[in-house]
Amino acid sequence: MRITKWIVGAFLFSGVLMAQSADGKQPKLKSQKEQDAVMAIFNAADPAGRITAVDALLGKFADSEYKGTALFIATAAAEEMNNWEKTVIYGDRTLEADPKNYGAMLILARGYATHTREFDFDKEEKLAKADKYAKGALELLKNAPKIRPDIQDEQWEAQRKTWISEAHEAMGLAASVRKKYDDSVAEYKLGLEATPGNQNLMTRIATAYLDAKKYDESIAAANQVLALSGLNPQVKSIAENIKARAVAGKATK
């Protein structure tokens, strides 16, 4: 979950930043200098600049009520920079400051699932974290308040379902690393229930079937992707590759 334009815009409300948190409490600024430090985070030109601004805020205002929000933004920025080590550091700090920050949980869930390999000595420990954070986010998202009060109900529900889908995708990825492909498909399908037509998830389903050597199912899933209107060219290429590999695999059985 990289910070999209919509999410960045949603952070800004009455000159202050909002977090992806189920806490629901509106933090308060204690001085003009603190407000300036908070706004420097939002106004930063790039992810590295946002992290620098977060560190500056917390260096000057360690007890800021925006600590959780700021650390979450740093977590998302570190993910955007593909810096997994920093993502974990800031993600853990976010949850220490704000245990209900489902945004940080989703980032960590996805990160642990995608950065864990089959032969890692601590594979199960890391995958357990992926599942824990994804499940934690799902629980919080059940009744999470809007991150901004003026967001329309339909817009909020669509975004909430997107995050629910991301949680199931993370658990599906973790299951794939465990080679539990049936579990992986089940999670991806739950994600699809929340976001019908999700090209990424549909492709992941086709891949999971391929990895499980269920070639007919993989071909059918790939065909579903290829039949979508407005298909992303990159996704189309991936789906075609999956289908070709499944056809080849079927021929050798």
Side-chain angles (χ1 to χ4, degrees):
M1 176 193 54
R2 285 164 282 280
I3 297 186
T4 63
K5 290 183 179 179
W6 184 89
I7 295 173
V8 169
F11 280 138
L12 188 63
F13 176 64
S14 299
V16 294
L17 298 171
M18 307 294 288
Q20 288 177 32
S21 173
D23 185 285
K25 179 182 177 182
Q26 173 63 52
K28 296 179 181 179
L29 296 165
K30 298 170 185 172
S31 69
Q32 182 61 47
K33 288 184 178 180
E34 183 183 358
Q35 179 172 319
D36 291 344
V38 169
M39 290 308 301
I41 299 170
F42 181 79
N43 292 328
D46 53 37
R50 288 196 288 274
I51 290 176
T52 298
V54 168
D55 290 340
L57 168 70
L58 299 180
K60 294 177 182 177
F61 306 97
D63 62 345
S64 173
E65 291 187 17
Y66 279 89
K67 183 176 182 178
T69 301
L71 288 168
F72 166 63
I73 293 173
T75 304
E79 183 192 35
E80 192 173 350
M81 294 168 64
N82 294 316
N83 189 325
W84 174 231
E85 183 179 351
K86 278 193 174 182
T87 301
V88 173
I89 291 170
Y90 283 109
D92 287 345
R93 290 179 64 190
T94 299
L95 294 175
E96 287 175 7
D98 177 12
K100 293 185 178 182
N101 195 299
Y102 52 81
M105 291 180 185
L106 288 171
I107 290 174
L108 290 171
R110 176 170 55 252
Y112 277 113
T114 57
H115 286 85
T116 303
R117 299 293 177 262
E118 180 182 355
F119 297 109
D120 287 352
F121 74 93
D122 55 350
K123 178 182 77 172
E124 192 50 46
E125 178 184 346
K126 291 188 288 189
L127 294 179
K129 287 183 178 180
D131 288 340
K132 180 187 76 172
Y133 288 128
K135 290 175 181 178
L138 284 173
E139 187 62 31
L140 290 170
L141 283 164
K142 287 180 181 178
N143 300 298
K146 294 179 182 179
I147 57 175
R148 206 174 73 185
D150 63 334
I151 297 172
Q152 295 182 355
D153 290 345
E154 305 81 44
Q155 186 183 26
W156 169 245
E157 184 60 15
Q159 184 58 61
R160 192 181 70 86
K161 286 184 176 180
T162 295
W163 288 327
I164 288 171
S165 180
E166 289 179 1
H168 286 296
E169 181 177 7
M171 288 191 285
L173 289 168
S176 283
V177 178
R178 294 184 177 105
K179 295 189 176 182
K180 294 184 177 181
Y181 300 117
D182 288 344
D183 291 346
S184 186
V185 169
E187 290 295 341
Y188 294 148
K189 287 184 175 180
L190 287 172
L192 269 177
E193 289 180 11
T195 56
N198 185 315
Q199 297 179 14
N200 183 54
L201 284 176
M202 292 174 71
T203 303
R204 290 200 185 282
I205 289 171
T207 300
Y209 280 134
L210 177 63
D211 290 339
K213 299 186 181 346
K214 294 185 176 181
Y215 300 120
D216 286 332
E217 290 89 338
S218 182
I219 292 168
N223 282 335
Q224 286 185 328
V225 176
L226 294 170
L228 293 172
S229 59
L231 184 62
N232 180 296
Q234 185 177 1
V235 174
K236 179 181 179 182
S237 177
I238 292 171
E240 288 174 339
N241 179 264
I242 293 169
K243 181 178 178 180
R245 289 167 61 196
V247 170
K250 183 179 179 180
T252 61
K253 287 185 69 175

